[in-house]
Amino acid sequence: MRAITINHVAEAAGVSIGTVSKALNGTGRVSAETRERVRREAARLGFVPRRRADSGAAVDLAYSVGVLTTDSFGRFTIPIMLGAEDTLGPGRVTVLMCDGRGDALREQFYIDSLMRRRVDGIIVTGRGNDARSPIRGTGAVPVVYAFAPSTDPDDYSIVPNSHRVGALAVEHLIGGGRRRLVQITGYESQAATVERHSGASAALTAQGLQWAAAPQFGEWSERWGREAAIRLVRDGVDFDGAFCGSDQIARGFVTGLRESGVDVPGQVGVVGVDNWDVMVEAARPPLTTIDLNLAEIGRRAAMVIIEAINGEPVPKGSEKVEPSLIMRDSSASPAPPVSVTR
């Protein structure tokens, strides 16, 4: 005979695993009718909750959460997912990760699959924080958008404070004695690029400064960073600090400066974005960067899911998570400042 698990009770009662846990443990907000139905099905199936030896308390509290993403590489999704798992608790959550790859039909297939599995909540995320269309067909299951916000203001989205990302980078460079700054970033039309540029420009203006050259827009790659560095030096642009829109760009930019005979950080201080360990630690010198605090985004998303499972309504609108500066060698203060002009 097969062992009867909490999943079997949830299926028989037509509710989620979280609802079964609450009904059997006497916790959370569950209607009397649902609580009775769950207990009746548990008794019929012969389900006995595992209990903690030291207290006798039932410990079958478990959640099933779907993570719907377009981030095939997991670069942004995995830190968000880890933050969510830390909040939900070890051994208390089953995470079902689905990669829609930006295809509407594929995404809807996964949504339907998650609903058939009666997940307790869904976290929607992606590779960037451009706004995306809301998902449909989830009924009363709570949905939270993490990193990639929903275009529907009635949905709840948790995103990085991209304006502050740009400001923090520029403030750090200026605080280190840099005055002639350039910006090398990704695609001009993307939300992250626009908001980070806005924050960086505002911080620069607040100090009575201007960009040493027009912002350099391109792809999110090391190759682009290297090309931009070589071009700026070749064109004789006089700069002593650089804000790069990603760690990939920053690593390429540092490489391009080195190949052009420019010392980092002696002549130019460099700051990236993302705190991607494989990039920041492998760069020479290691990169100062702005951490988007993706795990915190995941943690807050999971908290909203838990509160919704316990009967609280999912909030509306958006919440911004503040970034953090991670200091490494690439932006050490020059002494004294030296011009790049050769």
Side-chain angles (χ1 to χ4, degrees):
M1 295 179 62
R2 67 174 182 171
I4 300 300
T5 69
I6 193 172
N7 302 71
H8 299 131
V9 178
E11 183 176 357
V15 296
S16 69
I17 295 172
T19 298
V20 172
S21 297
K22 289 185 292 182
L24 297 180
N25 292 327
T27 60
R29 299 184 183 182
V30 179
S31 69
E33 178 185 356
T34 299
R35 193 181 303 275
E36 177 58 30
R37 183 169 76 254
V38 169
R39 290 177 174 175
R40 185 172 62 248
E41 292 299 331
R44 182 180 68 82
L45 294 170
F47 173 71
V48 179
R50 299 186 304 277
R51 295 185 178 275
R52 188 180 293 116
D54 59 353
S55 67
V59 295
D60 270 301
L61 181 60
Y63 301 99
S64 177
V65 175
V67 176
L68 183 64
T69 183
T70 57
D71 180 17
S72 302
F73 300 104
R75 167 66 194 94
F76 300 101
T77 301
I78 290 176
I80 290 171
M81 186 177 70
L82 292 176
E85 286 184 329
D86 288 345
T87 299
L88 293 166
R92 295 178 56 203
V93 59
T94 298
V95 176
L96 304 173
M97 191 167 175
C98 307
D99 180 12
R101 301 182 187 176
D103 180 84
L105 291 177
R106 185 183 182 90
E107 186 173 88
Q108 192 58 52
F109 167 81
Y110 281 127
I111 293 170
D112 295 341
S113 178
L114 291 172
M115 296 308 295
R116 286 194 298 272
R117 290 173 177 265
R118 295 191 175 92
V119 294
D120 295 288
I122 297 175
I123 297 174
V124 181
T125 184
R127 295 191 67 180
N129 54 337
D130 285 338
R132 54 150 296 148
S133 300
I135 64 175
R136 303 299 184 190
T138 56
V141 172
V143 177
V144 177
Y145 296 81
F147 193 64
S150 170
T151 55
D152 188 340
D154 288 336
D155 288 331
Y156 186 61
S157 303
I158 306 174
V159 299
N161 186 341
S162 293
H163 189 276
R164 183 59 186 152
V165 168
L168 193 59
V170 166
E171 288 168 0
H172 171 67
L173 288 168
I174 293 175
R178 317 287 178 174
R179 292 293 182 271
R180 303 177 303 282
L181 308 187
V182 294
Q183 181 182 183
I184 308 88
T185 189
Y187 299 111
E188 187 173 6
S189 61
Q190 291 187 319
T193 302
V194 172
E195 293 173 18
R196 291 173 190 176
H197 173 65
S198 175
S201 296
L204 203 63
T205 301
Q207 296 298 318
L209 302 174
Q210 296 180 341
W211 294 109
Q216 308 292 299
F217 298 107
E219 61 186 21
W220 302 97
S221 70
E222 283 190 68
R223 180 179 61 183
W224 162 234
R226 176 178 173 275
E227 289 176 358
I230 293 172
R231 181 189 307 160
L232 287 169
V233 175
R234 183 192 62 208
D235 292 347
V237 176
D238 184 14
F239 65 99
D240 61 4
F243 166 43
C244 297
S246 74
D247 291 335
Q248 285 178 285
I249 293 174
R251 181 176 169 182
F253 191 78
V254 169
T255 299
L257 290 180
R258 183 171 61 248
E259 292 175 354
S260 300
V262 178
D263 179 66
V264 176
Q267 292 175 269
V268 175
V270 178
V271 177
V273 178
D274 291 331
N275 196 26
W276 190 0
D277 53 357
V278 298
M279 287 290 160
V280 296
E281 297 294 350
R284 290 294 176 267
L287 293 171
T288 294
T289 186
I290 308 298
D291 194 318
L292 300 178
N293 289 329
L294 298 176
E296 176 64 12
I297 291 175
R299 187 190 72 81
R300 296 194 191 187
M303 285 301 302
V304 172
I305 295 292
I306 291 174
E307 290 167 357
I309 291 172
N310 289 325
E312 297 294 330
V314 175
K316 296 180 180 182
S318 64
E319 176 184 357
K320 293 184 178 181
V321 170
E322 294 303 306
S324 303
L325 174 75
I326 308 299
M327 177 71 181
R328 295 188 181 90
D329 295 342
S330 69
S331 64
S333 300
V338 179
S339 171
V340 173
T341 303
R342 302 173 62 204

